[in-house]
Amino acid sequence: GAVVSQHPSWVICKSGTSVKIECRSLDFQATTMFWYRQFPKQSLMLMATSNEGSKATYEQGVEKDKFLINHASLTLSTLTVTSAHPEDSSFYICSASPEVGSNHGYTFGSGTRLTVV
Amino acid sequence: AQSVAQPEDQVNVAEGNPLTVKCTYSVSGNPYLFWYVQYPNRGLQFLLKYITGDNLVKGSYGFEAEFNKSQTSFHLKKPSALVSDSALYFCAVRDMGETGANNLFFGTGTRLTVIP
């Protein structure tokens, strides 16, 4: 079945530094991947839609200069949290579908727990 | 615009008893409906989906859900709960009436606790 790998699973960084999170589709090509953010005891909030070969589409209120998304290939999307601050600490999850626009379900990565100290 | 409501933050059920986790939705077109389960510090695992066809959908781990168009509901059910079913459950919808809306919109989640 469709597998999405997300790395790292957790990261601790100092305030002001940047952190890169990778999302890979292991056994299928994904022209579109989705990045979500989840605060403790809350639902997943869509941050942005990552499009292979073009600019990402950001949801309202998400700073595109802070959360840089690169989708350089059909199997890899990266989210870089730039100049991280403690309020960026959260659980970040990516997802992809083998065929966007079809009735396939979405496969989620295992998530990345970011802690900014 | 689409929305998903999970009216219960917490559901407690005794092991062996039937469980129900509620979900209602609002979309402009036909809905694609999903249920996912999340264990602590993990991503979401797919349980089941409704696209079209039979209103009763069977999924993983003995779970099933019933699509009710008139009530715009998609409640998750299981005949006999296990302690290992304790987790956070999310209902999600994709609004096929929204052009370009390929992403899922999630409910706020329901924490299920199965008591031994």
Side-chain angles (χ1 to χ4, degrees):
Chain A
V3 178
V4 172
S5 173
Q6 189 172 339
H7 179 80
S9 56
W10 61 270
V11 58
I12 301 173
C13 71
K14 291 185 177 180
S15 187
T17 61
S18 295
V19 173
K20 180 184 285 188
I21 303 170
E22 293 187 348
C23 181
R24 293 181 185 273
S25 56
L26 296 186
D27 50 1
F28 66 97
Q29 294 182 334
T31 56
T32 303
M33 292 185 176
F34 303 97
W35 287 96
Y36 293 85
R37 183 174 181 177
Q38 185 181 30
F39 291 101
K41 299 183 180 181
Q42 293 190 28
S43 187
L44 282 74
M45 299 302 296
L46 180 67
M47 298 175 64
T49 302
S50 172
N51 304 298
E52 188 269 336
S54 64
K55 292 182 179 180
T57 305
Y58 289 82
E59 296 300 301
Q60 190 173 8
V62 178
E63 299 177 59
K64 57 184 67 177
D65 293 332
K66 181 166 188 62
F67 298 100
L68 299 179
I69 291 174
N70 183 279
H71 195 150
S73 77
L74 287 171
T75 59
L76 174 63
S77 174
T78 60
L79 168 67
T80 301
V81 183
T82 63
S83 186
H85 291 283
E87 57 265 30
D88 298 325
S89 298
S90 190
F91 194 58
Y92 294 86
I93 307 176
C94 69
S95 77
S97 174
E99 191 175 336
V100 173
S102 74
N103 60 5
H104 288 273
Y106 290 76
T107 301
F108 286 79
S110 55
T112 298
R113 170 77 56 196
L114 170 63
T115 302
V116 184
V117 298
Chain B
Q2 66 274 63
S3 66
V4 177
Q6 291 180 247
E8 301 158 317
D9 292 335
Q10 174 83 40
V11 170
N12 297 325
V13 63
E15 186 177 23
N17 282 3
L19 69 87
T20 299
V21 183
K22 296 180 181 178
C23 171
T24 58
Y25 65 90
S26 175
V27 297
S28 59
N30 292 321
Y32 283 5
L33 293 157
F34 302 82
W35 274 103
Y36 288 87
V37 60
Q38 184 181 35
Y39 296 97
N41 292 311
R42 300 294 298 276
L44 275 67
Q45 295 179 30
F46 171 79
L47 279 180
L48 51 79
K49 66 182 178 184
Y50 171 82
I51 304 299
T52 186
D54 290 341
N55 290 341
L56 184 63
V57 179
K58 294 187 182 297
S60 306
Y61 313 119
F63 284 93
E64 58 188 29
E66 186 168 11
F67 171 64
N68 188 317
K69 188 174 183 178
S70 63
Q71 297 184 5
T72 61
S73 68
F74 191 56
H75 302 329
L76 180 70
K77 299 181 179 183
K78 186 173 183 180
S80 178
L82 300 173
V83 174
S84 57
D85 292 330
S86 299
L88 188 58
Y89 290 81
F90 288 100
C91 181
V93 66
R94 183 151 71 92
D95 187 351
M96 301 312 295
E98 291 277 335
T99 302
N102 292 311
N103 60 286
L104 296 179
F105 192 84
F106 286 86
T108 51
T110 299
R111 183 162 300 282
L112 172 68
T113 300
V114 180
I115 303 165

